[in-house]
Amino acid sequence: MDFISGEIIGIDKPLGWTSFDAVKRVRGAIQRRLHLKKFKVGHAGTLDPLATGVLIICTGRATRRIDTLQGGDKEYIATIRFGATTPSYDLETQIDREFPWEHITEDDVVRVLPQFTGKIMQVPPVFSAVKVDGKRAYNLARKGKEVELKAKPLEIKEMELLECNLPEIKVRIVCSKGTYIRALARDLGEALGSGAHLTALRRTRIGNITVESCCSIDEALEKINTSPLTFPEDYRLPEAN
Protein backbone atom coordinates (compact mmCIF):
# COMPACT_ATOMS: atom_id res chain seq x y z
CA MET A 1 0.00 0.00 0.00
CA ASP A 2 1.22 3.50 -0.82
CA PHE A 3 -0.10 5.64 2.02
CA ILE A 4 1.96 8.66 0.94
CA SER A 5 0.73 8.93 -2.65
CA GLY A 6 -2.64 8.11 -1.14
CA GLU A 7 -4.98 5.23 -0.46
CA ILE A 8 -8.78 5.37 -0.49
CA ILE A 9 -10.17 2.94 2.08
CA GLY A 10 -13.86 2.09 2.31
CA ILE A 11 -14.85 1.32 5.90
CA ASP A 12 -18.15 -0.15 7.08
CA LYS A 13 -18.40 2.12 10.12
CA PRO A 14 -19.72 0.32 13.20
CA LEU A 15 -22.58 1.54 15.37
CA GLY A 16 -21.55 3.95 18.11
CA TRP A 17 -18.34 5.11 16.45
CA THR A 18 -17.88 8.69 15.28
CA SER A 19 -16.31 9.23 11.89
CA PHE A 20 -13.34 10.74 13.72
CA ASP A 21 -12.96 7.55 15.78
CA ALA A 22 -12.41 5.57 12.57
CA VAL A 23 -10.01 8.16 11.14
CA LYS A 24 -8.04 8.23 14.39
CA ARG A 25 -7.60 4.44 14.41
CA VAL A 26 -6.48 4.37 10.78
CA ARG A 27 -4.12 7.32 11.23
CA GLY A 28 -2.56 5.77 14.33
CA ALA A 29 -1.94 2.46 12.56
CA ILE A 30 -0.31 4.19 9.59
CA GLN A 31 1.85 6.39 11.82
CA ARG A 32 3.13 3.33 13.66
CA ARG A 33 3.76 1.44 10.41
CA LEU A 34 5.66 4.35 8.84
CA HIS A 35 7.35 5.49 12.08
CA LEU A 36 5.83 8.96 11.76
CA LYS A 37 4.57 11.30 14.49
CA LYS A 38 2.19 13.04 12.11
CA PHE A 39 0.34 11.87 9.02
CA LYS A 40 -2.56 13.27 7.01
CA VAL A 41 -5.75 11.18 7.03
CA GLY A 42 -9.32 12.40 6.48
CA HIS A 43 -12.81 11.15 5.65
CA ALA A 44 -15.24 11.99 2.88
CA GLY A 45 -18.71 12.44 4.34
CA THR A 46 -19.48 12.34 8.06
CA LEU A 47 -21.66 9.61 9.55
CA ASP A 48 -23.44 10.14 12.87
CA PRO A 49 -22.44 7.76 15.70
CA LEU A 50 -25.85 6.05 15.49
CA ALA A 51 -25.43 5.40 11.74
CA THR A 52 -23.48 2.56 10.13
CA GLY A 53 -22.14 1.87 6.67
CA VAL A 54 -19.90 3.44 4.06
CA LEU A 55 -17.23 5.79 5.38
CA ILE A 56 -14.51 6.72 2.90
CA ILE A 57 -11.10 7.33 4.48
CA CYS A 58 -8.33 8.98 2.47
CA THR A 59 -4.63 8.97 3.27
CA GLY A 60 -1.72 11.18 2.25
CA ARG A 61 -2.14 12.95 -1.07
CA ALA A 62 -5.51 11.27 -1.64
CA THR A 63 -6.99 13.67 0.92
CA ARG A 64 -7.03 16.18 -1.94
CA ARG A 65 -9.87 14.11 -3.43
CA ILE A 66 -12.13 14.37 -0.38
CA ASP A 67 -14.34 17.14 -1.79
CA THR A 68 -14.87 15.20 -5.03
CA LEU A 69 -15.59 11.92 -3.25
CA GLN A 70 -18.05 13.34 -0.73
CA GLY A 71 -19.84 15.15 -3.53
CA GLY A 72 -21.09 11.85 -4.97
CA ASP A 73 -24.66 10.67 -4.57
CA LYS A 74 -25.35 8.82 -1.33
CA GLU A 75 -27.68 5.89 -0.74
CA TYR A 76 -29.19 5.14 2.66
CA ILE A 77 -31.53 2.61 4.25
CA ALA A 78 -33.48 4.51 6.90
CA THR A 79 -35.81 3.17 9.58
CA ILE A 80 -38.34 5.80 10.66
CA ARG A 81 -40.83 5.57 13.51
CA PHE A 82 -44.04 7.61 13.58
CA GLY A 83 -45.84 8.76 16.71
CA ALA A 84 -43.02 10.54 18.56
CA THR A 85 -40.32 13.14 18.07
CA THR A 86 -36.94 13.81 19.65
CA PRO A 87 -34.95 17.09 19.65
CA SER A 88 -32.23 15.51 17.49
CA TYR A 89 -34.74 13.68 15.24
CA ASP A 90 -33.04 10.39 16.10
CA LEU A 91 -32.22 8.30 19.18
CA GLU A 92 -29.36 10.53 20.35
CA THR A 93 -31.91 12.39 22.51
CA GLN A 94 -35.00 11.30 24.43
CA ILE A 95 -38.57 11.48 23.14
CA ASP A 96 -39.98 14.94 23.84
CA ARG A 97 -43.47 14.67 22.30
CA GLU A 98 -45.88 11.92 21.32
CA PHE A 99 -48.44 12.03 18.51
CA PRO A 100 -51.24 9.83 17.17
CA TRP A 101 -50.12 7.62 14.30
CA GLU A 102 -53.00 5.11 13.98
CA HIS A 103 -54.57 7.12 11.15
CA ILE A 104 -51.52 6.51 8.91
CA THR A 105 -51.81 3.73 6.32
CA GLU A 106 -49.29 2.24 3.92
CA ASP A 107 -51.14 3.98 1.07
CA ASP A 108 -50.63 7.30 2.87
CA VAL A 109 -46.89 6.68 3.11
CA VAL A 110 -46.66 5.75 -0.58
CA ARG A 111 -48.65 8.89 -1.44
CA VAL A 112 -46.40 11.37 0.39
CA LEU A 113 -42.98 9.98 -0.58
CA PRO A 114 -43.04 11.64 -4.04
CA GLN A 115 -43.52 15.01 -2.30
CA PHE A 116 -39.95 14.69 -1.05
CA THR A 117 -38.43 13.50 -4.32
CA GLY A 118 -36.60 15.92 -6.60
CA LYS A 119 -35.11 19.30 -5.74
CA ILE A 120 -36.39 20.40 -2.35
CA MET A 121 -35.58 22.80 0.48
CA GLN A 122 -34.69 21.28 3.84
CA VAL A 123 -34.11 22.88 7.26
CA PRO A 124 -31.14 21.08 8.89
CA PRO A 125 -31.52 19.65 12.41
CA VAL A 126 -30.41 21.92 15.25
CA PHE A 127 -28.31 18.95 16.40
CA SER A 128 -26.03 19.20 13.37
CA ALA A 129 -22.59 20.48 12.41
CA VAL A 130 -24.04 23.49 10.58
CA LYS A 131 -22.30 26.66 11.77
CA VAL A 132 -24.23 29.53 13.36
CA ASP A 133 -22.14 32.67 13.92
CA GLY A 134 -19.01 30.52 13.74
CA LYS A 135 -20.24 27.90 16.21
CA ARG A 136 -21.55 24.39 15.57
CA ALA A 137 -25.33 24.22 15.92
CA TYR A 138 -25.16 21.03 18.00
CA ASN A 139 -22.96 22.73 20.60
CA LEU A 140 -25.48 25.54 20.97
CA ALA A 141 -28.42 23.12 21.08
CA ARG A 142 -26.78 20.99 23.78
CA LYS A 143 -26.37 24.12 25.90
CA GLY A 144 -30.11 24.75 25.61
CA LYS A 145 -29.72 27.79 23.37
CA GLU A 146 -32.31 28.54 20.70
CA VAL A 147 -30.98 27.85 17.22
CA GLU A 148 -32.63 28.99 14.01
CA LEU A 149 -31.35 27.44 10.79
CA LYS A 150 -32.23 28.39 7.23
CA ALA A 151 -33.57 25.93 4.67
CA LYS A 152 -31.00 24.68 2.16
CA PRO A 153 -31.50 23.28 -1.35
CA LEU A 154 -30.79 19.62 -2.00
CA GLU A 155 -31.96 16.79 -4.22
CA ILE A 156 -33.63 13.51 -3.31
CA LYS A 157 -33.17 11.38 -6.42
CA GLU A 158 -34.95 8.22 -5.26
CA MET A 159 -37.22 7.20 -2.38
CA GLU A 160 -38.47 3.63 -2.16
CA LEU A 161 -40.61 2.11 0.58
CA LEU A 162 -38.96 -1.20 1.49
CA GLU A 163 -41.02 -2.21 4.53
CA CYS A 164 -44.15 -0.89 6.22
CA ASN A 165 -44.77 -2.19 9.73
CA LEU A 166 -46.54 0.83 11.20
CA PRO A 167 -45.71 2.78 13.22
CA GLU A 168 -42.32 1.98 11.66
CA ILE A 169 -41.23 2.06 8.03
CA LYS A 170 -38.00 1.31 6.20
CA VAL A 171 -37.07 3.49 3.19
CA ARG A 172 -34.25 3.45 0.63
CA ILE A 173 -33.07 6.95 -0.23
CA VAL A 174 -30.65 8.21 -2.87
CA CYS A 175 -29.74 11.84 -2.30
CA SER A 176 -27.25 14.62 -2.87
CA LYS A 177 -24.56 15.88 -0.54
CA GLY A 178 -25.88 17.83 2.43
CA THR A 179 -29.07 15.82 2.97
CA TYR A 180 -30.03 15.12 6.57
CA ILE A 181 -32.02 11.90 6.73
CA ARG A 182 -33.04 12.80 10.30
CA ALA A 183 -34.67 15.97 8.98
CA LEU A 184 -36.38 13.94 6.26
CA ALA A 185 -37.89 11.74 9.00
CA ARG A 186 -39.16 14.88 10.75
CA ASP A 187 -40.73 16.19 7.55
CA LEU A 188 -42.39 12.86 6.69
CA GLY A 189 -43.99 12.79 10.12
CA GLU A 190 -45.36 16.31 9.68
CA ALA A 191 -46.66 15.50 6.19
CA LEU A 192 -48.62 12.56 7.62
CA GLY A 193 -50.13 14.53 10.49
CA SER A 194 -47.94 12.99 13.14
CA GLY A 195 -44.41 13.19 14.48
CA ALA A 196 -41.49 10.95 13.52
CA HIS A 197 -37.87 10.25 14.26
CA LEU A 198 -35.06 8.11 12.86
CA THR A 199 -34.40 4.85 14.69
CA ALA A 200 -31.70 3.36 12.42
CA LEU A 201 -29.62 4.49 9.45
CA ARG A 202 -27.23 2.63 7.18
CA ARG A 203 -25.31 4.28 4.35
CA THR A 204 -24.98 1.73 1.59
CA ARG A 205 -23.21 3.79 -1.08
CA ILE A 206 -21.23 6.96 -1.79
CA GLY A 207 -20.69 7.48 -5.50
CA ASN A 208 -19.51 4.10 -6.82
CA ILE A 209 -18.23 2.83 -3.45
CA THR A 210 -20.76 0.39 -1.99
CA VAL A 211 -20.97 -1.12 1.46
CA GLU A 212 -20.34 -4.55 -0.08
CA SER A 213 -16.91 -3.35 -1.20
CA CYS A 214 -16.03 -1.95 2.23
CA CYS A 215 -14.10 -3.69 4.98
CA SER A 216 -14.53 -3.63 8.73
CA ILE A 217 -12.29 -1.40 10.81
CA ASP A 218 -10.40 -4.49 12.04
CA GLU A 219 -9.86 -5.70 8.46
CA ALA A 220 -8.59 -2.24 7.46
CA LEU A 221 -6.13 -2.19 10.35
CA GLU A 222 -4.94 -5.69 9.44
CA LYS A 223 -4.25 -4.56 5.86
CA ILE A 224 -2.40 -1.48 7.10
CA ASN A 225 -0.24 -3.59 9.41
CA THR A 226 0.57 -6.42 6.99
CA SER A 227 0.33 -5.26 3.36
CA PRO A 228 3.59 -4.65 1.47
CA LEU A 229 4.55 -0.97 1.44
CA THR A 230 5.39 1.12 -1.60
CA PHE A 231 6.50 4.75 -1.68
CA PRO A 232 6.78 7.64 -4.14
CA GLU A 233 10.22 7.94 -5.69
CA ASP A 234 10.83 11.25 -3.87
CA TYR A 235 9.97 9.87 -0.41
CA ARG A 236 12.43 8.63 2.17
CA LEU A 237 11.09 6.48 5.00
CA PRO A 238 12.24 7.71 8.43
CA GLU A 239 14.39 5.38 10.46
CA ALA A 240 12.64 3.50 13.24
CA ASN A 241 13.46 4.72 16.76
Side-chain angles (χ1 to χ4, degrees):
M1 301 183 82
D2 186 345
F3 300 114
I4 308 298
S5 294
E7 295 285 345
I8 296 174
I9 306 170
I11 300 287
D12 185 351
K13 188 190 80 65
L15 186 68
W17 283 47
T18 66
S19 299
F20 179 75
D21 288 336
V23 169
K24 185 178 179 181
R25 291 289 299 276
V26 169
R27 182 191 295 118
I30 294 173
Q31 287 175 177
R32 288 188 294 273
R33 185 81 195 273
L34 299 182
H35 310 295
L36 296 173
K37 292 183 178 180
K38 292 183 179 181
F39 190 72
K40 196 169 186 179
V41 178
H43 65 80
T46 303
L47 268 182
D48 291 336
L50 296 180
T52 65
V54 179
L55 180 68
I56 300 175
I57 295 181
C58 301
T59 80
R61 296 168 188 168
T63 55
R64 300 170 187 169
R65 298 180 57 188
I66 283 177
D67 285 345
T68 300
L69 290 168
Q70 67 185 7
D73 289 342
K74 298 173 178 65
E75 181 183 70
Y76 296 92
I77 304 297
T79 304
I80 298 168
R81 188 173 187 85
F82 296 107
T85 59
T86 73
S88 60
Y89 311 145
D90 65 6
L91 296 178
E92 181 184 343
T93 53
Q94 298 294 316
I95 289 173
D96 58 356
R97 294 184 64 188
E98 294 187 353
F99 298 81
W101 60 268
E102 293 82 2
H103 62 282
I104 302 173
T105 67
E106 183 172 345
D107 287 342
D108 292 331
V109 176
V110 171
R111 173 178 53 80
V112 301
L113 289 184
Q115 297 177 22
F116 298 94
T117 304
K119 294 181 179 180
I120 64 172
M121 299 293 291
Q122 183 187 75
V123 178
V126 292
F127 283 81
S128 67
V130 175
K131 285 192 175 182
V132 180
D133 297 328
K135 298 180 180 179
R136 298 292 185 186
Y138 60 73
N139 286 329
L140 297 173
R142 285 169 184 158
K143 292 177 181 178
K145 296 185 179 181
E146 190 171 331
V147 180
E148 185 175 346
L149 300 177
K150 295 181 179 180
K152 295 186 176 182
L154 53 89
E155 186 174 6
I156 307 291
K157 299 190 175 181
E158 296 179 40
M159 284 191 72
E160 177 188 4
L161 181 64
L162 300 178
E163 296 178 15
C164 187
N165 300 300
L166 292 166
E168 203 164 74
I169 63 171
K170 186 174 288 187
V171 185
R172 184 183 69 88
I173 301 158
V174 178
C175 57
S176 65
K177 175 186 175 182
T179 302
Y180 285 93
I181 307 300
R182 292 179 285 138
L184 190 59
R186 170 203 63 197
D187 296 340
L188 281 171
E190 292 177 357
L192 288 165
S194 183
H197 62 283
L198 195 67
T199 59
L201 184 65
R202 184 159 177 77
R203 185 156 66 193
T204 51
R205 179 171 63 85
I206 299 180
N208 60 3
I209 298 178
T210 65
V211 72
E212 290 81 10
S213 66
C214 291
C215 59
S216 69
I217 187 70
D218 288 338
E219 290 169 338
L221 297 177
E222 178 69 16
K223 288 180 182 178
I224 291 168
N225 291 329
T226 61
S227 295
L229 296 177
T230 57
F231 300 93
E233 292 182 1
D234 59 348
Y235 181 77
R236 182 176 179 180
L237 185 67
E239 301 244 347
N241 294 329

